[in-house]
Structures are given as C-alpha cells and as structure tokens.
Amino acid sequence: MTKQPRPDQLITKRIMQFTRKARHGYKVARRVRNKLDEHFAAPLRRDGRGRKSQELRRALVTLRHLINATAWRSRVDLDVNVRQEAKALVTTACHGQVSFESLMDRARTLRGRVNKCGKARNARRAIKGCKPLRIELPEGFTVERLHTVKMLAHAGRTLGNCTKNNNFGDHDELRTRESDFYWVRHGNSAVAMLRVHLRSREIAEFLGKDNEDVELPRSVLITMLSRLRLNGDDVEACLQQGAASIFVTGGADICKPNYRRRRRKLRLWWNKGVLVIREGRRHKWSSFCWDGTAWQSSDASRRHRLDDLMTVHPLIACFAHKAAQPQTDRPGRRLR
C-alpha cells in the first residue's frame, strides 16, 4: 500500500513545481513559503492540532492553480485577457507582492475564467456525426442544421426559446445525437426552429419566434419536409398547412383528392395505411394511420375518430377499407 505524503511534503513539492515551471530559483520558492507561513499564522486558520485541514486543502488547491497558470500564460486557445491575467498572477506570486489570501482569490477567479473559455471552445466545436447542412427553399426561405452548441444557443436567443441554454437538456440531446435541430430563415430573419428525433425522423417541436405558431407557405413546408425526409403528421404547424406525410412522400396529390363534398368542404386522400381528411372553410386537417386493428389519429388531428364520417359518407368507409388492406404487388402475394 502506497504511503500518502504529508501536507507539508505536498506543499513543498507544489512550491518547487511552481518555481520550476515559472523558471525561477530558490528565492521565489522562499518568498512563496514565507507568504504561506504568514497565512497560516492567523489564529482563525489554526486549531488545537495546528493548521486546519480545510485551510490546508485550500492552500494546496491554490498552489495547483498557480502551477497551471504558468501554462495558461501561453495557451493560444485561451482569450488574450485570460493569458494576461495568468501572466500577472504568476509575476505577483513570484515577487511576493500580496498576501497568500489575495493569491487564493485571484487564482480561483482565474480558474473560473479558464473554465468558461473551455466551455466556449467546446460549444464552438462541431458535434461528431452532425454535419453542416443548408437547403434552399422556395420563396427565399432556407433551412439549416444547427451542428454546434454555440449555433443552437444563438438560434435560441434569436428566436426567444429554451434552446438558448441547457435548462431543459436541449444541448445534451444535440451532443448525444438524440435529436437534430434546424432553424428556418427568410432572408436574414429567423422564422422557426425544429427539433427532430433522429431514430424516427419525427418532428418533436416546430415553433416560431417566442414559441408562437408557425405558418409557412405550403410549397416551403412540403419542400422542406421532403428534402429532410421528416414526418410532420403529429405537428399542427405541418398538418394544418396540408403538408402531411402522404403528400411529402408522393402517396397522394393535394390537388386531386380521392373524395370530395363541396357543400361540407370535405376532402379525403388515402394511401396504404394512411387517411388524410380536410374539413370546413378553415381547413381543419386530420391524419389517421392503420395500426393493423384500428385507425389511430395523429396528435395534431382535429378529428380523433372516423365513425361518424363513415356513417354519413359510406364512400369514406370504402376508402378506409381499401387503405387498411395489406399492400401486394400481385394477387395472392403480400409484400414484406
């Protein structure tokens, strides 16, 4: 079992490390030792056994910061002001100009600034597996993938949403590649932000500035969802514009509904396992998927059941029956 060094031995060792890395000799080591002895001579830092253990730990931490400060003076990845502060701290410690307690405060502040620079550097670093992507959309819109934490935080501040910080774990989701984040711009103005689940490619959130609802032109929305291969059926901003997945994937033509009733402003489109319905003058959209036993509505649907529509419009029941049939490439053979 390795014997742990005594606190006096650790202090001496770190003082010598500091003077060696600062490129000074025994005179500097003696000055630092004298300031440390004066620091521990105060009664409030002593108890019945001598120097308080808590004060010893604080002194050792400060000496470690002083050793690190000799390297921070020339770190090119640090801010120039931080490098100058590190240089001034080392010079002050070598000349013995202030008390050791003042050195402790300055060293602690410097350590915090170095940590802040490190966080900013990591935020500028591209996330592994998250490549930059920018797509031009119709009518002067663009969509861009946010591939660094700094870009995500900047977009959050611009749009006034929670991604400006990591209070809800958005930055962690980007780092761990659980989610992708995109923002939509019109010229130089930010319009909206999307959060997408990577595994399912489903849109989890689609919000505008200050978390308001988004109303993009239909051509912009359909182009964006098709180019990014996203499923927006569970998001009201996508579904209410008529850009459900059935149109994005080409399963149906929005200009050619399979069923319509002009008086009730009713339109229906269907494909294998999917039904999309638009009702009323305000174009209330609903989307349904066949799970093998029943039709399940998406989260953004205005309508949650098809029973009453099937009763009033028997043809809708016929289309639903066709859409629920397994897809085949020829009679008697089921596609896998």
Side-chain angles (χ1 to χ4, degrees):
M1 185 175 180
T2 305
K3 186 177 180 180
Q4 296 294 330
R6 297 173 54 189
D8 286 337
Q9 294 175 338
L10 279 175
I11 288 176
T12 302
K13 180 180 178 180
R14 292 189 180 179
I15 289 176
M16 297 308 299
Q17 286 178 347
F18 168 70
T19 55
R20 184 171 64 254
K21 290 182 178 295
R23 298 182 180 179
H24 290 282
Y26 70 94
K27 290 184 179 180
V28 168
R30 187 174 58 189
R31 293 192 192 110
V32 176
R33 169 62 76 173
N34 290 340
K35 291 296 181 181
L36 197 56
D37 291 340
E38 293 175 3
H39 177 75
F40 283 118
L44 59 89
R45 300 186 182 94
R46 305 183 67 85
D47 54 18
R49 295 178 297 177
R51 293 167 296 185
K52 293 182 179 180
S53 58
Q54 182 179 1
E55 295 295 334
L56 280 170
R57 287 194 295 269
R58 292 180 60 200
L60 288 170
V61 169
T62 300
L63 289 173
R64 186 170 68 247
H65 291 341
L66 291 176
I67 295 170
N68 292 333
T70 60
W72 295 336
R73 295 178 299 179
S74 57
R75 283 270 296 273
V76 294
D77 57 335
L78 294 178
D79 184 79
V80 61
N81 295 326
V82 176
R83 296 200 299 268
Q84 291 177 355
E85 187 176 343
K87 185 177 180 180
L89 178 62
V90 172
T91 301
T92 302
C94 291
H95 292 173
Q97 298 172 342
V98 298
S99 64
F100 193 81
E101 186 175 4
S102 297
L103 287 178
M104 295 174 72
D105 295 335
R106 291 179 59 178
R108 183 170 57 250
T109 302
L110 178 61
R111 173 77 261 186
R113 296 191 63 184
V114 170
N115 291 342
K116 188 175 181 179
C117 287
K119 291 181 179 179
R121 181 177 63 252
N122 293 335
R124 293 192 299 268
R125 188 176 301 162
I127 303 297
K128 185 177 180 181
C130 186
K131 297 181 180 180
L133 177 65
R134 178 185 173 89
I135 298 175
E136 299 291 335
L137 302 174
E139 302 186 31
F141 286 84
T142 58
V143 60
E144 184 177 2
R145 178 184 288 150
L146 305 173
H147 62 279
T148 69
V149 173
K150 182 178 180 180
M151 291 179 64
L152 179 59
H154 171 67
R157 289 191 296 270
T158 303
L159 290 166
N161 58 42
C162 59
T163 58
K164 61 186 177 182
N165 50 47
N166 197 31
N167 291 344
F168 295 93
D170 295 312
H171 297 181
D172 294 334
E173 288 191 18
L174 178 61
R175 291 190 186 99
T176 58
R177 306 301 294 123
E178 293 181 16
S179 300
D180 256 350
F181 293 85
Y182 301 85
W183 69 339
V184 182
R185 296 169 62 85
H186 187 225
N188 295 325
S189 302
V191 177
M193 180 182 290
L194 299 88
R195 180 166 65 90
V196 179
H197 290 307
L198 278 182
R199 290 186 178 180
S200 62
R201 300 303 298 170
E202 293 182 355
I203 299 176
E205 289 182 323
F206 191 9
L207 298 173
K209 200 165 186 178
D210 298 326
N211 293 331
E212 294 180 352
D213 295 335
V214 183
E215 293 186 4
L216 296 179
R218 182 179 299 148
S219 59
V220 174
L221 203 52
I222 292 181
T223 303
M224 181 183 68
L225 295 180
S226 58
R227 292 288 301 276
L228 295 176
R229 297 181 181 178
L230 302 180
N231 182 1
D233 285 359
D234 287 332
V235 181
E236 185 174 352
C238 297
L239 186 62
Q240 301 314 312
Q241 291 293 328
S245 60
I246 191 173
F247 306 121
V248 173
T249 59
D253 186 349
I254 197 169
C255 298
K256 298 178 180 180
N258 300 105
Y259 177 77
R260 67 174 67 192
R261 295 288 292 182
R262 293 183 178 179
R263 290 184 179 179
R264 299 193 59 176
K265 303 295 182 181
L266 180 66
R267 302 289 186 274
L268 179 141
W269 297 262
W270 73 273
N271 199 357
K272 293 299 182 182
V274 180
L275 280 177
V276 174
I277 298 172
R278 192 187 74 185
E279 299 177 84
R281 294 180 179 178
R282 296 185 179 180
H283 293 178
K284 298 179 180 179
W285 291 82
S286 300
S287 176
F288 299 87
C289 291
W290 180 255
D291 64 358
T293 58
W295 286 102
Q296 302 294 335
S297 65
S298 60
D299 292 341
S301 292
R302 297 293 187 179
R303 181 179 290 273
H304 300 289
R305 297 175 64 90
L306 286 172
D307 300 354
D308 54 346
L309 274 180
M310 290 181 181
T311 303
V312 178
H313 305 279
L315 279 178
I316 292 182
C318 295
F319 289 127
H321 178 72
K322 291 180 180 180
Q325 296 300 313
Q327 187 174 356
T328 58
D329 59 349
R330 65 186 183 187
R333 183 178 177 183
R334 180 173 179 176
L335 286 179
R336 294 183 179 180

